Amino acid sequence: MRIDGKGLIDRARPVSFRFDGRSYSGFQGDTLASALLANGVTLMGRSFKYHRPRGVLTAGSEEPNALMEIGTGAAKTPNVRATMQEIFDGLEARSQNRIGPLNRDLLSVNDLLSSFLSAGFYYKTFMWPRAFWEKLYEPIIRRAAGLGALSREPDSGRYEKAFAFCDIFVIGAGPTGLMAALTAAKGGADVILAEESAVVGGRLLSEEEQIDGLPAAIWLENTLAELRASGRVRIMTRTTVTGAYDGGTYGALERVGSHVPATPDLPLECFWRIQAKQAVLAAGALERPIAFPMNDRPGIMMASAVRTYLNRYGVAPGEKVTLFATNDDAHRTARDLTQAGIDVAAVIDSRAEIQAKGDYRVITGGQVIATKGRQALREITIRHAGGEETIATDCLAVSGGWNPTVHLTCHMNARPVWDEAISGFVPAEKAIPGLIPAGACAGQYATAACLQAGIDAASQALIALGATAPDITAPSAQIEAGASDVLWSVPGAGRAWLDFANDVTTKDVKLAAQENFRSVEHMKRYTTQGMAPDQGKNSNISALAILADATGRGIPETGTTTYRPPYIPVSIAAMGAGAKGKGFAPERFTTSHAATIQRGAPMIEAGLWYRPSYFPAQGETTWRQSCDREVNMVRETVGICDVSTLGKIDVQGPDAGAFLDFVYTNTFSTLKPGRVRYGLMLREDGMVMDDGTTARLSDTHYVMTTTTAAAGQVMTHLEFVSQALRPDLDVRFVSVTEQWAQFAVAGPMARDLLNTVLDDPIDGESWPFMACGPVKVHGVDGRLFRISFSGEHAYEVAVPARYGDALFRDLVARAETMGGGAYGMEALNVLRIEKGFITHAEIHGRVTAFDIGMERMISPKKDCIGKTAAAREGLLGPDREQLVGLKPIGAVKQLTAGAHLFDEGAEAIRVNDQGYVTSVCFSPTLGTYLGQAFLKNGRARHGETVNHVDHLRGIETLCEVCDPVFFDPEGGRVRG
């Protein structure tokens, strides 16, 4: 099917590839679709619902039919468009959505049952018997759903993400985009030119056209050379702009290594975030099909695609081609085919008066009313003024006009505007700030108009940047848009397909309207129109026209569905490049990690940090034995715990105190240097964000600590407050979490141990509770804070991180000589529950300061973030679930986090739910299980009995409601 002398492929470089296990050959520059067509392969896939045979329909990213699985094993990628996949030696492609061979798909039996599988059938069919849903219906539907299949292996491909910045971003490198980029560059702007194809040129690559008296290919080469010589244009081919976002940001997917054999260091794709001051959208237009009976057979293609395969790839999609069109543009396809020596059986033009523009037969006022050929088109039946006629043909090229590619202009909620002159939607004015639609995507179809539109759009962008637009004369061009008629569908026997991928017909859309799904969005969901990988690029406008006719409305009144990013399917691996394996969850190790591992401690993850769960001693066989020992050790002697993972944010500046007053509920500007204060931080909605201590080291210098898990969130919050809410405050802050190794020394002997490592010993008067300041540890400058998360006499000593390992080993060794040692997260959790301290198990995002009994920490003397929101109706009062403690009092003693609470004797069902448990532990200090929970009106119910019910684990325990502070409620030990 190759045509000598045609195409832009490199015939000196043959390429071997495989499709469905068979070997084929093509040439460098071929796509998978063009190479298969060249080898006479027309059957390339199966439709989603009815598994009807389907061939390639288009030549671009809008392709709904020829979706392939590319690669094997872990490298397999489903739903790759054969029209975009370039062939290379060793390429393995496989058709999808089938059982058995492609030409004998067992699931094609669905097509015989199509009368029972109309739009919305699943809403009506699988309602009875009710018990069958989970056991029969759902498993069958899930197995049949979807198109391609994943390998179920970890993705072995490499992906990248990158950022780029420019003055003017030109989207699309057809005639409009090329002139826009050239104009912008001559105006002194830095330009990025993005083109989703492998080469620039757009539709010029598919045309026999002259520009400025030169063949289009020569003009392209000259223009490209001029762009490169300017030094101001970055040309990004194989790059599809997928979405438009706030602030001139655009997402773009670059296919980096998908067109060559796998190379270890070459990524498959790169996802770009491109920041542009101005942008020009030159995305062109998409040819729309005509919905006529049985219009989905392999061999039925778009007229522009036939022209593309002929002129760009040198491939004849058929031996005897027929065209069905409503416009002059399609006649160019007939002209090019006849000039290439391909038999054009006829051009069926729906217009009553039209003349041939070449050596081929024209049937005026004609319509295709039937087709034949199960796996390949054999013949069509047409209706015209003279009656009906049958034409033998193996390729039918269809053109119902053009739809401007407006998708990107709708990504910020703008709706396109109906243009009656072109019977299509065009972008709304200023739909995307800074984005200027131009050329065919704005409804200008003539080549000369597109070239001028590119100059005008770039000039407008330059002026917006404050630059001077250059004086450029648009090149001359021959091709005009020509006249066009409107024909959305053809009545007749048989199904007329709209959405080829999802098997939506004109009858389905009419049925949706009949069943009162008259809204375009409701119709979309009822029929699944436009919900396939192509997102309805070929079918949406025709479906809207059918819906408008069925509901007696005009197309503008019917409206459009919502176009959302991404414009094309984007692999999650590309958007999250680098975020797999350790890249997804990086392992963060403390300075004491090696020493901890040497002591046999099992590690657990906490906010990406790895911390010891417990430190097993000789003879201990369970974690509880180790945990109980460590708790008793802290209560009786001294324990060492690495707390370096707590977020540490250095806050400095003349307004540091005022800044902290604004982000915390309580006041920090009055805190004296050398002192520490506990603080509570709210979100803007009044819910608790985080808690921690902040130390004042000098008049203008504070050190804030956050919980381990929320360190990043708090840092982001502070940045937002500083930049957006209080830019008037002179304050700077930086995260210093990794710069300091910090260790808790807790227990009655804590001061005695510390005095063995401090150059200057301390006492209770010089270091009272909540004091802080500089110290020297074995001659190293450090910091000491007298704070406690255990309820015991305790300190936290900090040194530069490079000394962390040595200090931890030294402290633990000294503690062991005093009957103490290291303790882990399990013991730390028990110690804090005994004392009623909260963690993010309690401040989980749905609780207020009132809920945790800290409403008095919201200072009445100043404003703070979340203060007003926290006082809203419903966030205060006895109906709120309030923090309480729990003690088991029945025969069952076990408590579990996540269990729910009910009044004693009440049925354990949702409507009787009184609260839930957040944290539990066994307390060796008190010899019982303890829990923290949220209970409705909990603070007024101390002493009551509630029923703790864990349906998942089958545990039911009677509990006494207590104050959450179980141990040393007076705080004598921490202050002693």
Side-chain angles (χ1 to χ4, degrees):
M1 305 299 287
R2 292 285 185 188
I3 306 299
D4 292 337
K6 300 291 287 185
L8 305 178
I9 54 175
D10 187 350
R11 296 180 187 248
R13 298 174 64 186
V15 175
S16 176
F17 67 98
R18 291 169 60 84
F19 173 63
D20 278 351
R22 292 188 59 185
S23 295
Y24 296 92
S25 63
F27 297 102
Q28 187 70 32
D30 264 324
T31 63
L32 183 55
S34 68
L36 287 174
L37 287 173
N39 282 277
V41 178
T42 56
L43 177 60
M44 298 189 191
R46 291 280 176 168
S47 66
F48 172 65
K49 185 162 64 172
Y50 300 130
H51 288 255
R52 288 179 59 81
R54 292 283 165 80
V56 67
L57 180 71
T58 72
S61 62
E62 70 272 24
E63 175 60 35
N65 289 342
L67 305 179
M68 309 287 188
E69 291 176 356
I70 301 299
T72 59
K76 183 173 71 172
T77 302
N79 293 325
V80 175
R81 292 146 294 163
T83 52
M84 299 299 291
Q85 175 63 55
E86 299 168 63
I87 62 170
F88 56 83
D89 282 320
L91 172 68
E92 285 279 351
R94 184 173 180 269
S95 58
Q96 56 188 30
N97 196 41
R98 59 178 171 80
I99 295 180
L102 179 61
N103 60 350
R104 293 192 298 275
D105 178 15
L106 296 180
L107 286 178
S108 61
V109 69
N110 287 4
D111 200 25
L112 302 176
L113 304 173
S114 60
S115 298
F116 303 98
L117 304 177
S118 60
F121 76 94
Y122 32 80
Y123 297 124
K124 309 168 187 176
T125 309
F126 303 110
M127 305 299 291
W128 184 90
R130 185 174 180 179
F132 276 32
W133 173 252
E134 291 186 0
K135 298 177 181 178
L136 179 63
Y137 300 146
E138 186 181 31
I140 292 176
I141 291 172
R142 285 194 178 278
R143 278 196 293 270
L147 288 171
L150 296 172
S151 67
R152 297 181 180 271
E153 299 177 33
D155 188 355
S156 60
R158 178 182 168 188
Y159 301 84
E160 294 287 354
K161 57 184 175 183
F163 299 82
F165 304 86
C166 63
D167 295 323
I168 298 178
F169 183 31
V170 180
I171 303 167
T176 305
L178 288 169
M179 287 309 300
L182 186 61
T183 303
K186 288 185 175 181
D190 290 328
V191 181
I192 292 178
L193 176 62
E195 167 57 47
E196 71 174 356
S197 181
V199 291
V200 303
R203 71 177 188 178
L204 296 179
L205 301 173
S206 305
E207 306 291 353
E208 291 287 339
E209 179 167 11
Q210 289 197 340
I211 299 178
D212 264 355
L214 297 172
I218 303 299
W219 182 85
L220 274 175
E221 288 183 13
N222 295 341
T223 304
L224 273 175
E226 194 171 357
L227 289 174
R228 294 189 175 106
S230 72
R232 289 190 170 276
V233 182
R234 176 177 187 171
I235 300 174
M236 298 178 66
T237 55
R238 301 185 180 90
T239 302
T240 304
V241 180
T242 61
Y245 305 93
D246 290 336
T249 301
Y250 298 86
L253 182 70
E254 181 184 10
R255 305 185 306 279
V256 181
S258 58
H259 62 289
V260 294
T263 305
D265 295 330
L266 186 66
L268 285 174
E269 297 172 333
C270 179
F271 191 81
W272 289 85
R273 280 82 162 173
I274 298 174
Q275 188 77 32
K277 297 175 183 177
Q278 291 284 302
V280 175
L281 179 64
L286 300 175
E287 195 169 26
R288 61 187 174 221
I290 302 170
F292 56 88
M294 309 310 287
N295 60 330
D296 68 328
R297 301 193 190 281
I300 299 177
M301 305 170 61
M302 304 311 302
S304 60
V306 170
R307 199 154 72 240
T308 298
Y309 288 116
L310 175 66
N311 293 325
R312 181 172 175 179
Y313 300 107
V315 174
E319 295 180 351
K320 190 173 186 179
V321 181
T322 309
L323 287 93
F324 177 28
T326 65
N327 54 78
D328 291 351
D329 181 80
H331 285 255
R332 295 212 301 272
T333 302
R335 180 203 64 192
D336 290 354
L337 288 169
T338 55
Q339 289 178 354
I342 300 168
D343 184 9
V344 175
V347 174
I348 303 126
D349 198 308
S350 64
R351 296 171 293 178
E353 295 183 3
I354 191 71
Q355 294 183 353
K357 295 174 173 58
D359 186 17
Y360 51 84
R361 178 191 178 197
V362 174
I363 301 174
T364 60
Q367 296 179 347
V368 177
I369 59 172
T371 66
K372 287 186 179 180
R374 177 66 180 170
Q375 296 186 1
L377 181 68
R378 296 198 315 272
E379 68 177 36
I380 61 173
T381 302
I382 64 172
R383 180 174 55 219
H384 51 80
E388 294 186 1
E389 179 181 345
T390 298
I391 299 177
T393 182
D394 60 349
C395 178
L396 175 61
V398 180
S399 178
W402 295 84
N403 295 321
T405 307
V406 300
H407 302 67
L408 282 178
T409 66
C410 302
H411 285 177
M412 293 178 68
N413 295 323
R415 295 283 183 172
V417 179
W418 180 254
D419 186 341
E420 195 66 42
I422 63 169
S423 297
F425 284 98
V426 295
E429 188 176 353
K430 298 181 180 179
I432 303 290
L435 177 69
I436 305 166
C441 73
Q444 299 165 302
Y445 296 149
T447 303
C450 288
L451 293 166
Q452 183 63 56
I455 296 172
D456 295 342
S459 298
Q460 183 180 339
L462 286 166
I463 293 170
L465 293 173
T468 301
D471 185 11
I472 296 179
T473 301
S476 61
Q478 298 173 318
I479 294 180
E480 297 294 330
S484 178
D485 197 5
V486 177
L487 180 63
W488 303 108
S489 64
V490 176
R495 290 165 288 176
W497 307 91
L498 293 167
D499 189 323
F500 294 90
N502 268 356
D503 279 338
V504 179
T505 66
T506 56
K507 180 181 177 182
D508 292 328
V509 174
K510 294 174 183 177
L511 179 62
Q514 179 182 328
E515 301 202 2
N516 210 32
F517 291 93
R518 299 165 63 87
S519 161
V520 64
E521 296 288 3
H522 291 166
M523 179 275 289
K524 172 182 177 179
R525 285 151 182 81
Y526 187 73
T527 64
T528 69
Q529 161 64 44
M531 296 172 66
D534 71 310
Q535 297 186 19
K537 292 182 178 67
N538 308 279
S539 56
N540 271 352
I541 306 303
S542 297
L544 297 177
I546 303 298
L547 180 64
D549 183 64
T551 57
R553 297 173 293 181
I555 293 178
E557 292 76 23
T558 303
T560 63
T561 54
T562 303
Y563 297 115
R564 299 183 178 91
Y567 175 72
I568 59 165
V570 178
S571 59
I572 294 175
M575 289 190 288
K580 68 177 182 179
K582 292 184 179 180
F584 175 72
E587 296 174 335
R588 303 184 72 182
F589 300 131
T590 62
T591 57
S592 65
H593 184 78
T596 299
I597 294 296
Q598 290 171 7
R599 291 178 173 271
M603 307 301 286
I604 58 174
E605 191 177 354
L608 299 181
W609 289 96
Y610 279 77
R611 303 184 68 180
S613 180
Y614 55 91
F615 290 84
Q618 187 174 1
E620 293 173 346
T621 57
T622 67
W623 71 269
R624 266 285 309 279
Q625 289 175 314
S626 302
C627 177
D628 291 353
R629 172 182 54 78
E630 291 171 11
V631 171
N632 290 330
M633 177 181 72
V634 174
R635 295 282 183 230
E636 296 170 2
T637 55
V638 64
I640 308 299
C641 181
D642 191 334
V643 294
S644 305
T645 63
L646 298 177
K648 296 180 280 292
I649 301 174
D650 201 273
V651 184
Q652 298 191 40
D655 295 327
F659 179 75
L660 293 174
D661 286 348
F662 189 65
V663 297
Y664 276 124
T665 61
N666 46 331
T667 304
F668 280 83
S669 58
T670 59
L671 184 65
K672 295 179 180 180
R675 302 293 292 176
V676 183
R677 182 168 290 166
Y678 175 79
L680 192 69
M681 194 178 296
L682 304 182
R683 299 193 311 239
E684 290 182 303
D685 61 359
M687 300 296 170
V688 178
M689 174 188 288
D690 196 44
D691 70 333
T693 60
T694 294
R696 189 169 193 175
L697 302 181
S698 71
D699 288 342
T700 59
H701 187 187
Y702 294 78
V703 174
M704 173 192 294
T705 63
T706 74
T707 56
T708 297
Q713 178 189 8
V714 171
M715 187 66 187
T716 301
H717 178 64
L718 297 184
E719 291 281 8
F720 173 75
V721 173
S722 175
Q723 295 179 38
L725 303 182
R726 295 303 306 270
D728 57 307
L729 296 179
D730 186 0
V731 64
R732 295 292 184 269
F733 42 86
V734 64
S735 173
V736 293
T737 303
E738 292 85 358
Q739 278 64 45
W740 293 89
Q742 194 155 314
F743 306 100
V745 182
M749 300 180 181
R751 184 188 300 150
D752 296 337
L753 188 152
L754 271 177
N755 281 335
T756 67
V757 299
L758 296 177
D759 291 8
D760 298 315
I762 60 172
D763 56 35
E765 292 185 4
S766 60
W767 288 90
F769 181 58
M770 302 299 274
C772 68
V775 293
K776 282 190 177 292
V777 185
H778 293 313
V780 174
D781 289 330
R783 294 170 178 171
L784 185 65
F785 309 87
R786 185 172 172 185
I787 53 180
S788 175
F789 201 59
S790 61
E792 291 295 331
H793 184 132
Y795 302 82
E796 290 185 11
V797 57
V799 294
R802 62 183 177 275
Y803 301 109
D805 177 72
L807 181 57
F808 177 76
R809 294 176 187 270
D810 186 33
L811 289 174
V812 172
R814 292 170 187 269
E816 288 174 340
T817 65
M818 303 170 72
Y823 65 99
M825 292 290 288
E826 296 293 349
L828 185 62
N829 196 47
V830 174
L831 292 165
R832 68 97 179 172
I833 292 175
E834 290 178 344
K835 280 295 296 179
F837 294 145
I838 59 173
T839 66
H840 273 271
E842 284 71 46
I843 50 174
H844 47 57
R846 297 190 296 115
V847 301
T848 66
F850 174 83
D851 299 339
I852 56 177
M854 296 185 184
E855 67 275 15
R856 294 179 64 184
M857 287 187 65
I858 303 178
S859 173
K861 299 179 181 180
K862 68 175 184 69
D863 192 15
C864 70
I865 292 176
K867 179 178 180 179
T868 302
R872 288 176 294 168
E873 184 179 357
L875 297 186
L876 302 168
D879 290 339
R880 296 288 300 178
E881 293 166 336
Q882 302 164 9
L883 184 66
V884 297
L886 295 178
K887 279 185 181 179
I889 57 174
V892 177
K893 301 298 183 183
Q894 188 174 2
L895 300 179
T896 57
H900 282 254
L901 304 176
F902 303 88
D903 290 336
E904 186 178 7
E907 186 180 1
I909 57 177
R910 180 184 58 81
V911 294
N912 295 330
D913 194 354
Q914 294 292 299
Y916 55 94
V917 182
T918 56
S919 300
V920 299
C921 72
F922 177 80
S923 168
T925 308
L926 303 177
T928 182
Y929 272 93
L930 302 175
Q932 288 184 323
F934 285 95
L935 180 68
K936 289 182 180 178
N937 198 23
R939 287 193 287 275
R941 298 174 66 175
H942 290 183
E944 289 187 16
T945 300
V946 294
N947 195 18
H948 157 292
V949 180
D950 186 335
H951 287 295
L952 181 64
R953 299 172 182 84
I955 298 171
E956 190 168 333
T957 309
L958 284 178
C959 300
E960 178 188 354
V961 179
C962 312
D963 187 287
V965 183
F966 298 99
F967 178 74
D968 189 26
E970 297 80 15
R973 296 173 73 98
V974 74
R975 291 179 174 83

